[in-house]
Amino acid sequence: MRHFLTLKDYTKEEILEILALGLEIKHEVKAKVFKPRLAHQTLAMIFEKSSTRTRVSFEVGMFQLGGHALFLSNRDIHLGRGEPVKDTARVISSMCDMVMIRTYEHSKLEEFASHSKVPVINGLSDSYHPVQLLADYMTMMECGKDINPVVAYVGDGNNMTHSWLMLAAKLGFELRVATPKGYECDPLIVIDAMELAQESGAKITITNDPKEAVVGASVVTTDTWISMGQEDEKTQRINDFKGYIVDEALMALAREDAIFLHCLPAYREVEVSEAVLEGKQSLILEEAENRLHAQKGLMVWLDKHR
Ligand code: CP
Ligand code: NVA
């Protein structure tokens, strides 16, 4: 049985297999063909942070696969008032077929997974957001930007950046990360990614200069400067990230046919300008929809591998 906590645990072949399955199911559903691949199965979704895309995509995805999803927020279950992770994991996994968790510390997810009898999926932790990267790469595949991509990530060294590092390191493409000083990625995750990159041939560059990252890029991406749990740092962060907005001037340095991605939710005129977010290079809505399709591929794949 496999969990899906970080892309670090997956080979290039496995990631591409999950995405191929997701695309196959996407095409079926677009043709109104709904195969009950997960009939009578239940996905427990534990949310310790809020969500629009993750909740809707997993719940709708499970329904379309013939299964059922349970939404469990911290206010609904005893985990939120201190019932041990171990007990929650053993109880929920004795009744459900899969669990998705959105939480703060990545270690909580690992602890849950170590006591779970069923596959556990990371729906976002402070360290990683791997299901988002499945959707992002699916979006790149659909417009041919998976061929020798040069991805520029501009912004905070956060869970999204860490996931981009892992994806690039596993698939072997070029990734340039530009963060302000003091907001760099977790150095241990960078070391891991650099080691993996040696095997895969990925070229990873870390800089503090957004322009250096974006010049000639085929994919430009960013994420909020204020992740969930960092709300108190908002004023400080907006000040410290000056010069890191992805606007038309920065996009103009990328390839003419470059695409723009953002996992959403976005703060307009903070990390990205309205013109870029709503511009013709932006694929944010295709990317968001692909959460549904990529995650169905993932759930079916995890079911096959138990
Ligand atoms: N991108 C993403 O995970 O969005 P939500 O926080 O709305 O789930
Ligand atoms: N980095 C953001 C991603 C939101 C989907 C956060 O953790 O809040």
Side-chain angles (χ1 to χ4, degrees), residues 50-54 102 129 132 228 263-265 291:
S50 41
S51 161
T52 301
R53 283 141 288 267
T54 305
R102 169 167 284 198
H129 195 6
Q132 179 68 51
M228 289 178 273
C263 66
L264 304 179
R291 291 291 304 277

Side-chain angles (χ1 to χ4, degrees), residues 201-261:
K203 187 174 171 211
I204 295 175
T205 317
I206 312 272
T207 172
N208 298 119
D209 180 359
K211 290 183 183 144
E212 185 190 331
V214 172
V215 168
S218 55
V219 179
V220 179
T221 184
T222 184
D223 180 24
T224 180
W225 297 341
I226 307 117
S227 284
M228 289 178 273
Q230 298 172 337
E231 291 78 5
D232 292 350
E233 300 168 33
K234 184 172 177 180
T235 311
Q236 182 69 49
R237 283 179 165 262
I238 290 179
N239 204 39
D240 293 346
F241 280 74
K242 279 208 175 80
Y244 282 77
I245 185 172
V246 179
D247 57 12
E248 284 174 301
L250 191 65
M251 273 307 280
L253 300 176
R255 283 177 51 154
E256 216 177 312
D257 62 349
I259 59 166
F260 174 76
L261 297 177

Side-chain angles (χ1 to χ4, degrees), residues 62-121:
M62 203 54 187
F63 176 77
Q64 290 181 347
L65 291 166
H68 177 73
L70 288 174
F71 174 73
L72 306 167
S73 86
N74 248 2
R75 280 188 296 278
D76 307 312
I77 55 173
H78 291 290
L79 183 67
R81 58 151 196 87
E83 182 169 15
V85 172
K86 176 165 108 170
D87 293 355
T88 311
R90 290 183 296 176
V91 170
I92 290 182
S93 70
S94 73
M95 296 184 234
C96 296
D97 302 285
M98 234 174 260
V99 184
M100 186 242 79
I101 309 178
R102 169 167 284 198
T103 189
Y104 292 87
E105 310 86 7
H106 191 74
S107 56
K108 195 167 186 177
L109 209 51
E110 290 172 332
E111 187 186 352
F112 194 106
S114 73
H115 294 288
S116 172
K117 290 195 287 252
V118 300
V120 175
I121 299 171

